[in-house]
Amino acid sequence: MVQSMTGFAVQTRDLGSVSLHLELRSVNSRYLDLGFRIVDDLRAAEPAIRERLSARLGRGKVECRLNLQAGHAAPRSMALNGALLDQLADAQDALRGRFPDAAPLSVSELLRWPGMLADDSLGFDELLPAIAALVDAALEELVATRQREGDKLADMIRERVARMRELIAQAAPRMPAVVLEYQERLTAKLRDAVASLDEDRIRQEVALYAQRIDVDEELTRLSTHLDEVERILKSAGAAGKRLDFLMQELNREANTLASKSPATDITAIAMEMKVLIEQMREQVQNLE
């Protein structure tokens, strides 16, 4: 369901006299960042292309390259503009009637006259529908590559989510024993340090500190955040920003777990969680 922001697509259309060539390249970006490299003859197509790209893509730095090349069909035929030629002849006769010594128009001058030569090449208005179809085809290809890459990234994230669930399952049953062991050690130290201290006061202090090192809430929130990660991976639409926020929350809970726990095995579990979270964060940065 989720998409990567990395992808590539290329499409070509041979229209006879000309050939259209389009490339789309997409990499990571916080927002949708569109860049265009379009030949001057087709520059007017940029707004239509931008609209199509914006409708299909949510995030990513996308570079669009559109080129116009000579086609592989037979050479273009050219013809003189007869009506224009007649107008120029009439104008020349009128001028020479007034200025007999004026030099007549040369053949080269006539051929260079704007609009004198007509050919069978396609105009921009005729090319625009073909450009739109080309962009749509390239977008389909680009989205497909981004989805395939997104599937791979989602699988990698799910593997780490599954490993974090295993670590939570290891830590949760240990916590009552960890708290009890710490209470006993702390009680013994307090008795040795303050022999005259009231036994009830010792138990109160120990119980209060035991609450401070209890990480049941952190383990519960970790499980809840992992549930949300899996839910987002299954949902449609942009997921990168939501998952990035969840990575921050997971990291916060793992930090708290590491700082509160007095047991080395629980601390080791928290450290492995932080490594897994960082690995997931790296993959999330690639998701749309």
Side-chain angles (χ1 to χ4, degrees):
M1 291 292 185
V2 297
Q3 288 188 28
S4 168
M5 286 186 284
T6 303
F8 174 76
V10 58
Q11 290 286 324
T12 301
R13 291 289 185 278
D14 190 348
L15 303 178
S17 59
V18 294
S19 177
L20 292 171
H21 182 81
L22 176 69
E23 289 185 9
L24 296 177
R25 299 175 184 269
S26 174
V27 295
N28 300 350
S29 177
R30 293 183 61 188
Y31 309 102
L32 182 61
D33 182 7
L34 302 179
F36 297 90
R37 294 187 178 181
I38 302 177
V39 294
D40 291 339
D41 291 344
L42 303 179
R43 177 63 63 181
E46 180 178 325
I49 299 175
R50 181 182 296 274
E51 182 178 352
R52 277 176 155 74
L53 295 178
S54 300
R56 292 294 304 274
L57 306 175
R59 292 176 65 198
K61 181 178 177 62
V62 182
E63 181 180 291
C64 173
R65 296 187 178 188
L66 179 60
N67 293 317
L68 183 66
Q69 302 168 344
H72 300 292
R76 293 181 297 178
S77 61
M78 293 186 178
L80 293 175
N81 187 332
L84 179 58
L85 192 60
D86 291 339
Q87 292 174 8
L88 288 174
D90 293 341
Q92 179 174 251
D93 290 342
L95 286 171
R96 296 194 69 185
R98 296 284 302 272
F99 305 99
D101 296 333
L105 288 170
S106 66
V107 172
S108 61
E109 289 173 333
L110 288 171
L111 290 176
R112 290 198 301 269
W113 198 275
M116 179 58 70
L117 289 177
D119 60 43
D120 59 356
S121 62
L122 298 175
F124 175 77
D125 291 340
E126 297 173 292
L127 288 173
L128 192 56
I131 293 172
L134 190 69
V135 173
D136 290 342
L139 268 172
E140 290 295 331
E141 183 182 348
L142 181 69
V143 169
T145 60
R146 285 164 57 122
Q147 287 177 340
R148 288 193 296 270
E149 182 68 17
D151 290 341
K152 294 178 183 178
L153 296 177
D155 289 341
M156 295 174 66
I157 293 172
R158 289 190 184 99
E159 291 176 1
R160 286 152 181 78
V161 168
R163 177 54 185 160
M164 286 193 66
R165 291 193 186 281
E166 292 176 359
L167 295 173
I168 292 173
Q170 293 176 22
R174 276 279 294 135
M175 288 315 301
V178 169
V179 172
L180 181 59
E181 291 169 4
Y182 194 77
Q183 284 178 322
E184 292 175 351
R185 291 199 304 270
L186 185 58
T187 299
K189 290 181 180 179
L190 286 174
R191 285 199 183 102
D192 292 340
V194 189
S196 61
L197 194 62
D198 181 75
E199 188 69 22
D200 289 337
R201 179 64 182 277
I202 292 176
R203 285 196 294 269
Q204 290 174 4
E205 293 294 332
V206 171
L208 180 62
Y209 198 78
Q211 292 178 0
R212 295 176 182 172
I213 66 169
D214 191 357
V215 294
D216 283 344
E217 289 186 9
E218 283 74 15
L219 294 175
T220 299
R221 284 195 289 268
L222 282 167
S223 295
T224 301
H225 294 330
L226 293 175
D227 291 340
E228 183 65 8
V229 169
E230 292 187 319
R231 187 194 69 79
I232 292 174
L233 289 175
K234 294 177 182 177
S235 64
K241 291 184 178 179
R242 290 180 290 168
L243 289 173
D244 188 58
F245 171 76
L246 284 173
M247 294 304 111
Q248 297 177 35
E249 295 301 305
L250 285 169
N251 193 61
R252 182 179 293 112
E253 301 301 338
N255 281 333
T256 304
L257 179 63
S259 62
K260 289 178 67 173
S261 175
T264 56
D265 56 343
I266 302 299
T267 302
I269 286 175
M271 292 300 102
E272 185 175 350
M273 284 183 178
K274 286 175 63 64
V275 172
L276 293 169
I277 293 167
E278 185 58 31
Q279 291 173 350
M280 286 192 288
R281 189 199 298 273
E282 292 177 359
Q283 306 307 322
V284 165
Q285 300 301 319
N286 296 318
L287 294 177
E288 181 179 2

